[in-house]
Amino acid sequence: QVQLVESGGGLVQAGGSLRLSCAASGRTFSVYAMGWFRQAPGKEREFVAAFGWSPYYADSVKGRFTISRDNAKNTVYLQMNSLKPEDTAVYYCAARNTIVVKTTPSQYDYWGQGTQVTVSS
């Protein structure tokens, strides 16, 4: 069983930056693919970024967001730069029981509680 706890959300103006963190429990963090998803009101949960052997990004955030992981700290990060109002959502951290990255929420086994990111125009 893996428990995930996100932190780092908040309110920021358009063009600003935030860094989200996701701390995972367990001793085998390095074998999990870690992902970030987001869900805006009235919309489906969507893929943002993931890190298995290497990072992978949704087109909408490519060049603005950077995902990284520190296996020694059991933590994955999402650095978000040049934020836009359309990035406003609840951001969720997720983990898969394999190092292979997927982009569909149903293919992830563990989820955090989510952290709100609000970008004002």
Side-chain angles (χ1 to χ4, degrees), residues 37 85 104 117:
F37 291 78
T104 305
V117 171

Side-chain angles (χ1 to χ4, degrees), residues 89-100:
V90 177
Y91 282 70
Y92 296 91
C93 175
R96 295 193 76 220
N97 281 320
T98 169
I99 198 65
V100 177

